[in-house]
Amino acid sequence: MPREKLSDKQQRILAYIREFLEEHGYPPTVRDIQSGCDISSTSVVDYNLRLLQRYGYLRRSPEVSRGIELLAGRERARPLVTVPVLGYIAAGQPVPVPSDESWAGQVTESVELPTSLVGQGERVYGLRVRGLSMIDALIGDGDIVLLRPAAEVRQGDMVVAWLKEEKEATLKRFFREGDRVRLQPANTQMEPIYTKARNLEIQGKVIGVIRLLQ
Amino acid sequence: MPREKLSDKQQRILAYIREFLEEHGYPPTVRDIQSGCDISSTSVVDYNLRLLQRYGYLRRSPEVSRGIELLAGRERARPLVTVPVLGYIAAGQPVPVPSDESWAGQVTESVELPTSLVGQGERVYGLRVRGLSMIDALIGDGDIVLLRPAAEVRQGDMVVAWLKEEKEATLKRFFREGDRVRLQPANTQMEPIYTKARNLEIQGKVIGVIRLLQ
DNA sequence: TCCTCTAGTGAACGTATGTTCTATGCTTCA
DNA sequence: TGAAGCATAGAACATACGTTCACTAGAGGA
């Protein structure tokens, strides 16, 4: 769709929509635009909106009041993702796992993070660490661990693992070695854990850690 | 305005409005909310919107279709702040300090963070940690430390300190004890460092740590 | 000259949508 | 047990608002 040169009136309309949105939080009606831009008839507004839509400056939802959406800054569609913090992770306790789809209700808090950090549309969730049990992974009390449900785990991935026998959640790097698994702490001075693969339940893959002080 | 506890229904309504806005660029109608939140009557939606407005979560323009404006993230004017990562911090090396005003040129990379984490207009900068010298503060190789230039340092603040004699940068909690200073590692199993106050140069106050894996 | 295209006008139409009214359970408190 | 609030139902009302239509006027173009 060719981006043609806009008439003076069309530019005024675009500017007015932008201002109105800024001020009110919702788009103007055809009649708002009419009076705001000193246009004599609603049909003229409709006419120009139609053109602006064809040129790609906005999108209209038919039959919908105020159904105008500006497309100019479209890539800023979802700069922030609200990451739900589902609960706590601590040694000797089961880890909350996002129940399919709606984790409504279990969310105690949430953190907003840019998509540049966690990706877009990913089912990332957070867990707040309680206690010092993860300290060998350089994760302290109060830190937030960012997790992605683990479809596949590759060598060296940092994962939240549930040790069934020990009844303990832990956070380590994952290495499959034959029929056993080596769980390697991030802190190189600490010793790794070895266990059978079937003693392990991978809860999620760690994609980040956030610690906020003060 | 008292921020009362929201009912489950009210939280769903707020969430729905947010989603709808995100997706369409304009707010939902009362009937959109009704069907979207599985509410039986438009009057119930109206009733709850009225309450949400009284609590300060949104503003409604009377007689105006889709006249709903979310107020929660009103300061969302500039949700993302670009935090410059000025360089590296490692033991035995001086720490880069933001030269007044323009640190243009020294920036090797940058991270975008929401204002909810680092505040707005604050002169926050980042340093990437090289090596394991900060491991007693639960900070590993590759982590990013978020710093604010330290106007005043209070008891217990986490700071980046430059030890002049030792020629070493370290990251510890700061406690003034008479004429000497105790630098306490975040890891409680480690021993504190004691030094004279004049051997110390506070480079900045740590406000956060970010670790991104993968 | 007639024809076509763009731009504008004013009114009317139909429905999308905010609002209101009455009635009904459900707690809570005395 | 009854009064007082809260939350909900369903319907009806009034109007805000997108859309359409018939008509006018200038600007090329053949």
Side-chain angles (χ1 to χ4, degrees), chain A residues 12 15 22 32 44 53 60 67 87 89 91 144-145 172 203 207:
Chain A
R12 263 189 297 138
E22 193 76 33
D32 288 332
V44 174
Q53 178 172 29
R60 297 179 79 192
I89 173 175
I144 293 176
V145 182
K172 302 232 173 13
Q203 307 281 20
I207 63 169

Side-chain angles (χ1 to χ4, degrees), chain A residues 137 153-159 171-176 181-187 192-193 206, chain B residues 141 211-214:
Chain A
V153 179
R154 286 176 300 183
Q155 287 297 65
D157 277 353
M158 181 89 84
V159 297
L171 198 154
K172 302 232 173 13
R173 289 201 182 280
F174 174 95
F175 294 94
R176 179 172 284 116
V181 168
R182 172 164 57 96
L183 295 175
Q184 182 80 46
N187 187 334
I193 293 178
V206 179
Chain B
D141 188 52
R211 181 180 311 149
L212 293 178
L213 308 172
Q214 298 248 22

Side-chain angles (χ1 to χ4, degrees), chain B residues 9 40-41 43-44 47-48 63 65:
Chain B
K9 183 171 298 186
S40 49
S41 173
S43 61
V44 175
Y47 174 77
N48 283 287
E63 314 267 307
S65 69

Side-chain angles (χ1 to χ4, degrees), chain A residues 9 40-44 47-48 51 63 65:
Chain A
K9 183 171 296 186
S40 50
S41 172
T42 60
S43 59
V44 174
Y47 174 76
N48 283 287
L51 291 181
E63 313 268 306
S65 67

Side-chain angles (χ1 to χ4, degrees), chain B residues 94-98 125 147-150 159-162 169 201-205:
Chain B
V95 175
V97 174
Y125 63 102
L147 296 169
R148 184 186 305 146
V159 298
V160 169
W162 175 251
E201 200 166 291
I202 303 297
Q203 307 282 20
K205 191 158 130 184

Side-chain angles (χ1 to χ4, degrees), chain A residues 112, chain B residues 3 18 56-57 70-79:
Chain A
E112 294 217 304
Chain B
R3 179 139 313 193
R18 237 183 298 270
Y57 288 90
L70 284 182
L71 295 178
R74 188 50 173 167
E75 69 294 349
R76 187 160 300 182
R78 196 160 291 280

Side-chain angles (χ1 to χ4, degrees), chain A residues 5 14 17 25 34 40 45 77 83 101 119 123 127 147 157 174 188 204 210:
Chain A
K5 206 170 57 181
L14 272 185
I17 295 175
Q34 181 192 7
S40 50
V45 177
V83 176
E101 276 315 311
R123 295 165 49 73
L127 292 177
L147 295 171
D157 277 353
F174 174 95
T188 52
I210 291 177

